[in-house]
């Protein structure tokens, strides 16, 4: 799990560095790859998902990100779950969250560059871009969340089964220890 997260963090940081060096620093802000459908578009996002900004800006978002990463990490290591869908899903979320957190802490904004341009236009007088510009970290978080939904039963329902089974075993253990030899007709003491 840790190796997957570290790989994603490294890949995310390398691709953002390359986008900064080969696009931003050279004044190239868009490189078409598949016509207008997929292109590299250099964007620095000061907000959270979809460019939404929060009061307090960089500090608020960084604190929130640190708390989220710490909570998810704590949950992972204190959970009874040890299956590959669990490890896969949450290692992608953690890797992506840390990748974007590094940008927020170091630069005050996140570098985005991958752009699926499926639709741009106006609907009802409002400009609409169907897909935001994103990066490897964003994709990793999305893959982690979607895979946790796909493998929900394997990740969460089996875990509740473990808790309920442990509870039943505890009840049986308590029942056996509270029975006295006189109340148990099959006691070896007779």
């Amino acid at each position: 799990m840790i190796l997957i997260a570290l790989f994603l963090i490294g890949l995310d940081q390398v691709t953002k560095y390359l986008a900064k060096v080969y696009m931003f620093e050279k004044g190239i802000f868009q490189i078409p790859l598949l016509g207008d459908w997929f292109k590299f578009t250099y964007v620095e996002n000061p907000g959270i998902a979809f460019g939404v900004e929060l009061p307090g800006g960089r500090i608020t978002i960084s604190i929130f990100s640190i708390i989220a990463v710490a909570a998810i990490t704590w949950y992972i290591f204190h959970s009874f779950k040890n299956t590959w869908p669990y490890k896969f899903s949450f290692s992608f979320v953690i890797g992506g969250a840390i990748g974007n957190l590094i940008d927020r802490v170091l630069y005050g904004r996140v570098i985005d560059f991958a752009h699926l341009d499926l639709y741009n236009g106006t609907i009802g007088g409002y400009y609409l871009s169907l897909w935001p510009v994103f990066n490897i970290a964003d994709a990793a978080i999305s893959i982690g969340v979607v895979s946790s939904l796909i493998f929900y039963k394997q990740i969460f329902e089996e875990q509740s089964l473990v808790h309920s089974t442990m509870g039943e075993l505890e009840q049986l253990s308590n029942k056996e220890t509270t029975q006295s030899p006189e109340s148990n007709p099959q006691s070896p003491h007779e």
Side-chain angles (χ1 to χ4, degrees), residues 2 12 85 111 127 174:
I2 293 171
D12 176 64
I111 296 171
Y127 176 77
N174 289 339

Side-chain angles (χ1 to χ4, degrees), residues 1 71-81 86-87 90-91 94:
M1 179 183 101
I72 293 169
T73 303
W74 181 90
Y75 176 75
I76 289 169
F77 286 106
H78 288 86
S79 171
F80 290 106
K81 207 63 184 154
Y86 177 81
K87 289 178 181 180
F90 288 105
S91 62
I94 289 291

Side-chain angles (χ1 to χ4, degrees), residues 10 22 34 48 70 93 96 100-101 119 126 149 152 160 163 177 189:
Y22 291 105
L34 294 173
I48 57 174
V93 172
N100 280 339
L101 178 61
Y119 175 79
Y126 295 99
L149 294 172
Y152 180 83
S160 65
H163 287 299
T177 58
H189 299 291

Side-chain angles (χ1 to χ4, degrees), residues 164-190:
S164 66
T165 303
M166 287 176 58
E168 291 170 10
L169 289 174
E170 188 176 310
Q171 288 176 349
L172 285 173
S173 174
N174 289 339
K175 187 183 284 186
E176 289 175 2
T177 58
T178 58
Q179 289 182 340
S180 66
E182 295 82 32
S183 66
N184 188 352
Q186 296 177 356
S187 173
H189 299 291
E190 289 184 2

Side-chain angles (χ1 to χ4, degrees), residues 120-139:
N120 283 330
T122 56
I123 295 179
Y126 295 99
Y127 176 77
L128 176 69
S129 179
L130 189 59
W131 203 268
V133 181
F134 61 98
N135 58 44
I136 300 294
D138 298 335

Side-chain angles (χ1 to χ4, degrees), residues 45-64:
N45 180 0
I48 57 174
F50 308 108
V52 174
E53 293 191 40
L54 296 176
R58 171 182 171 183
I59 293 172
T60 302
I61 295 169
S62 296
I63 289 170
F64 175 76

